Amino acid sequence: MNRPELPAARGLLSEAVLAFLRGELLGLAVAEEAEAADPWGEDLQLALYCCYELHYRGFADVPDDLEWNPDLLGARAGMERAFLAALRAEVPDGDAAKSDAAKSDAAELADVIDALLVEPVDAHGVSHHLRRDGEVWQVREYVAHRSLYHLKEADPQAWVIARLDGPAKAALVTVEHDEYGGGDPARMHAHLFAEMMRSLDLDATYGAYLDAAPAPVLAEVNLMSLCGLHRSLRGALVGQFATVELTSSPGSDRIVRAMRRLGLPEQAVEFYAEHVEADAVHEQLVRRGVIAPMVAAEPELARDIVFGIRASTLLADRTDAMLLRSWGSGRSALRRPLADSPA
Amino acid sequence: MTPPRRHGTPDLVFTDDGPLLVRGPVVVELPDGSRVRSDRPVSALCLCRRTRRPPFCDTSHRRKVREGER
C-alpha cells in the first residue's frame, strides 16, 4: 500500500510533531504549543492531520508502531481539545442553540435535518459557482482539495460500525458497502475519485496534495477522524455522515453539469454522477435506517447528532468561503497552485 | 427503515416524501422497453417523475426555497 511522504511543517507545533515522526526527537511535549496555537490555523490542523494519518495509512519511513505512541497521543489529545473547544464555541450546543428552549432534542434534530432537505434556489456555494461560471482550473483545484477526503472516502465512518448495534449498524454498513463498491473494487468511490483525478491530469497518489491543502480542508477531514476515533463522539460522527449524505446529491449534480458544460471527459464526470444516484439512496438509509433507530434506542444521542451536523456544516461553509474568496480575486486557493492555476 | 418485525425486513419501502426503496440488485424496465440495472444493496426509484435520471431518484422531489424561507 502506498504510504504518503511527510508534509512540510507550517509552524512550531507541526514542526515538533513531524520531527518526532522522523525520529529526530526522543520525546514530544507540546501541550503548551497546542493550547497556544490557533485551532483553525494551518499549524494545528496540519499537526492534527498527521497524528490521525497514522491511523489510516501512516507515512513513508515512519514506524507503524508510532500510531499508539503515548507522547503522540498526548499531543493529539491537546490539539483535539483545542479544536473541539473552537467548534463548540462556534456551534452552540444544547438549549442555547434552540429556537425554543422547551423543544426536545429529538424535535431539534428533526428540524435540523429538515433544513438540510430543502434546496435553496438562490444559494452561492462552490458547486453553484462551478455550475454557472466555473473554469477548468477551478474544477481541478476543487478536486485536488477534495482528494484529501475522497481518497479515504468512507474510511473515517467505518470506525463507528463497532459502536452501533442492531438496525442502525445494519443500515450504516449497507451505506458503507455501497461506498466501497458493493464488493467491486472498480466501483469503490475512492477508486472512482482517483480515476477522475487522472482524467483531469491530477496526481491520484494518496496524499499527493497534502502540502497543497489549506487548513479549512484539513479541518473537515480532521472532524471525521476525531469523531470516528472517539466513541464518545459517535453521535457527532453519524451527524457528520448524515450531513454529507443529505447534501451531496444536488451538489454532485451541479458539478456534473459544470464538467459537462466545460467539456471535461466522461471519465471525470463518472464520480459525481455516481454520487447523485448513490447519495439519493444513502440519504434515505441514513435518516430512516441509522438515525431513527439510534435516537429511539439512545435519545441522549440526538444532541450529539445535531452537533455533528452543525459542526460539519460550519466547516463545509468555511471551505466554501475560502475557495470562493480566493477564486473571486483570481487567485489559486491551494498553498501550492497547480500548473494551470493563477499564481 | 422501520420494519414490521413479524414480516421480516421489507424488500420495498414507500417513503413519505420521496422515492420507493427497493432492496437488492434490480433490473427495471422503462416505458420505452429499455432496461436499467442497479447493483446497489438498496436502490431508490423515483415516484415524483421529476428525476433527470429515471428510473432512479436524484432528490429532485426536494422542496425549493429562497434564502430566508428556511
Side-chain angles (χ1 to χ4, degrees):
Chain A
M1 188 151 78
N2 160 61
R3 295 198 292 173
E5 300 291 325
L6 285 172
R10 299 184 192 177
L12 293 176
L13 183 56
S14 53
E15 180 48 51
V17 168
L18 288 162
F20 187 73
L21 292 176
R22 287 192 299 263
E24 295 166 7
L25 303 173
L26 289 174
L28 181 67
V30 289
E32 275 177 42
E33 286 87 343
E35 262 173 53
D38 171 7
W40 306 105
E42 300 289 343
D43 191 24
L44 184 139
Q45 290 297 333
L46 178 71
L48 185 55
Y49 188 94
C50 291
C51 289
Y52 286 142
E53 189 55 45
L54 299 174
H55 298 285
Y56 295 98
R57 297 198 185 187
F59 292 99
D61 305 319
V62 172
D64 287 342
D65 279 347
L66 282 185
E67 180 183 358
W68 297 106
N69 177 282
D71 282 8
L72 268 173
L73 293 179
R76 196 186 90 186
M79 292 184 257
E80 287 175 330
R81 274 193 298 276
F83 185 32
L84 258 180
L87 284 169
R88 296 232 185 249
E90 292 281 328
V91 178
D93 187 26
D95 294 338
K98 293 180 193 164
S99 47
D100 173 1
K103 201 157 64 169
S104 73
D105 290 335
E108 177 77 0
L109 173 60
D111 286 353
V112 169
I113 287 177
D114 281 348
L116 293 177
L117 291 176
V118 295
E119 259 317 285
V121 289
D122 44 5
H124 300 287
V126 164
S127 62
H128 297 87
H129 164 74
L130 290 175
R131 180 175 74 79
R132 290 188 203 116
D133 317 301
E135 297 177 38
V136 172
W137 70 268
Q138 293 171 339
V139 171
R140 295 179 75 240
E141 285 211 349
Y142 179 73
V143 169
H145 281 101
R146 303 310 320 172
S147 69
L148 274 288
Y149 167 59
H150 285 298
L151 292 179
K152 50 166 75 84
E153 185 164 344
D155 290 346
Q157 290 80 22
W159 279 316
V160 88
I161 295 170
R163 287 130 191 215
L164 299 176
D165 194 18
K169 183 178 209 151
L172 188 120
V173 170
T174 304
V175 177
E176 287 282 277
H177 184 53
D178 205 30
E179 303 274 359
Y180 288 126
D184 179 357
R187 297 294 305 165
M188 267 173 64
H189 288 179
H191 176 80
L192 294 179
F193 194 88
E195 293 281 299
M196 172 174 64
M197 292 184 82
R198 281 187 278 270
S199 73
L200 293 173
D201 205 20
L202 291 166
D203 186 349
T205 312
Y206 184 95
Y209 293 100
L210 178 51
D211 273 325
V217 172
L218 300 183
E220 285 193 78
V221 184
N222 284 340
L223 177 70
M224 299 183 216
S225 306
L226 167 69
C227 297
L229 286 167
H230 288 263
R231 193 165 48 82
S232 60
L233 290 169
R234 66 193 186 284
L237 188 282
V238 166
Q240 179 279 323
F241 197 30
T243 308
V244 173
E245 300 294 354
L246 268 58
T247 56
S248 139
S249 204
S252 298
D253 183 60
R254 286 188 284 273
I255 301 198
V256 167
R257 292 206 255 174
M259 287 180 163
R260 294 225 162 103
R261 179 176 60 74
L262 292 165
L264 294 170
E266 251 337 270
Q267 235 188 334
V269 179
E270 174 62 22
F271 174 84
Y272 285 106
E274 156 70 9
H275 278 69
V276 176
E277 229 178 84
D279 292 341
V281 180
H282 297 175
E283 171 219 312
Q284 301 286 345
L285 292 174
V286 169
R287 279 164 57 213
R288 293 161 203 283
V290 181
I291 292 180
M294 236 179 125
V295 174
E298 295 177 274
E300 67 279 11
L301 288 180
R303 196 173 272 215
D304 294 339
I305 298 173
V306 169
F307 171 69
I309 292 173
R310 292 204 168 121
S312 51
T313 304
L314 170 82
L315 295 180
D317 288 349
R318 289 177 70 101
T319 296
D320 259 36
M322 180 272 302
L323 289 170
L324 294 175
R325 202 167 48 237
S326 299
W327 295 347
S329 48
R331 280 183 294 111
S332 167
L334 291 164
R335 293 167 55 84
R336 297 187 180 179
L338 304 171
D340 64 342
S341 301
Chain B
M1 279 169 274
T2 43
R5 281 316 315 183
R6 339 173 239 143
H7 298 298
T9 304
D11 299 311
L12 302 174
V13 174
F14 282 94
T15 62
D16 51 355
D17 55 343
L20 170 67
L21 304 180
V22 183
R23 180 172 298 280
V26 286
V27 176
V28 184
E29 187 170 291
L30 301 179
D32 65 1
S34 63
R35 290 179 188 181
V36 189
R37 181 182 172 87
S38 166
D39 287 317
R40 292 182 200 292
V42 177
S43 300
L45 298 180
C46 172
L47 294 183
C48 76
R49 306 232 166 193
R50 271 181 283 182
T51 184
R52 284 190 298 271
R53 287 174 171 73
F56 303 109
C57 172
D58 70 352
T59 71
S60 288
H61 59 271
R62 288 190 185 176
R63 194 162 56 86
K64 307 228 173 0
V65 295
R66 300 208 162 270
E67 212 70 35
E69 281 178 47
R70 283 210 263 182

